[in-house]
């Protein structure tokens, strides 16, 4: 697997972000969807990476800087054809390492509270994320779960 910074202009990447956003609409009410679109992912406070196997896009993930000590994990997605191949683990390892290299002391995330998000929550728990109150601009939402880890 090769992980690289991505400019979000390739057709495969645009399609994967579309799949990600569509997946959110299947499991979350509109007011509880916090996934970012293409333009938002290109923001100056966000670094976006893709995971490749030769010419095949396997997944993606992003890191948003909340402040100089706190990062937020965003847009973790494995392409449907590559589920259960370790893509999410590779991306998460990479983002945690990057957050540490940036000197962050905390990495947080928001994910859904519904059954469809159980695999994601189990992965985050395995990596040491713990449940926490809303952070940043988030507010309490029964459809959201907030997690954080000290780095």
């Amino acid at each position: 697997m090769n992980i690289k910074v991505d400019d979000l202009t390739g057709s495969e990447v645009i399609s994967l972000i579309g799949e990600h956003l569509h997946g959110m609409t299947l499991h979350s009410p509109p007011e509880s969807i916090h996934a970012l679109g293409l333009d938002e992912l290109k923001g100056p406070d966000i670094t976006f990476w893709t995971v490749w196997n030769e010419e095949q896009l396997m997944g993606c993930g992003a890191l948003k800087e909340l402040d100089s000590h706190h990062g937020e994990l965003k847009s973790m997605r494995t392409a449907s054809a590559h589920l259960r191949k370790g893509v999410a683990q590779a991306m998460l390892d990479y983002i945690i390492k990057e957050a540490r290299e940036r000197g962050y002391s905390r990495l947080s995330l928001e994910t859904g509270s519904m059954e469809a998000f159980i695999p994601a929550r189990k992965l985050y728990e395995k990596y040491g994320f713990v449940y926490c109150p809303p952070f940043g601009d988030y507010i309490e939402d029964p459809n959201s779960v907030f997690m954080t880890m000290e780095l």
Side-chain angles (χ1 to χ4, degrees), residues 67-138:
D67 63 42
S68 62
H69 302 285
H70 192 182
E72 179 182 3
L73 181 67
K74 297 294 291 182
S75 301
M76 284 277 295
R77 181 69 178 202
T78 299
S80 298
H82 297 287
L83 294 171
R84 295 179 235 346
K85 294 181 181 177
V87 175
Q89 289 183 32
M91 186 78 264
L92 189 54
D93 281 334
Y94 192 91
I95 290 174
I96 291 170
K97 180 180 176 214
E98 177 68 21
R100 285 187 171 120
E101 287 177 2
R102 291 182 184 189
Y104 295 164
S105 56
R106 179 167 302 283
L107 183 60
S108 301
L109 63 92
E110 178 277 336
T111 191
S113 63
M114 292 68 94
E115 188 173 329
F117 297 96
I118 290 173
R121 292 195 308 266
K122 286 185 185 249
L123 174 67
Y124 299 136
E125 288 170 1
K126 176 181 165 187
Y127 273 76
F129 284 86
V130 295
Y131 294 92
C132 67
F135 59 90
D137 295 332
Y138 292 107

Side-chain angles (χ1 to χ4, degrees), residues 13-70:
V13 175
I14 292 170
S15 179
L16 184 59
I17 295 301
E19 179 183 327
H20 181 60
L21 293 171
H22 178 71
M24 297 299 104
T25 65
L26 296 176
H27 304 289
S28 302
E31 68 274 9
S32 297
I33 296 175
H34 302 290
L36 303 178
L38 286 170
D39 290 338
E40 295 167 300
L41 286 168
K42 293 177 184 178
D45 55 345
I46 296 176
T47 306
F48 182 83
W49 294 274
T50 47
V51 183
W52 298 84
N53 180 8
E54 296 180 13
E55 300 300 315
Q56 288 192 334
L57 176 61
M58 299 180 79
C60 64
L63 179 58
K64 178 178 181 179
E65 183 168 297
L66 299 176
D67 63 42
S68 62
H69 302 285
H70 192 182

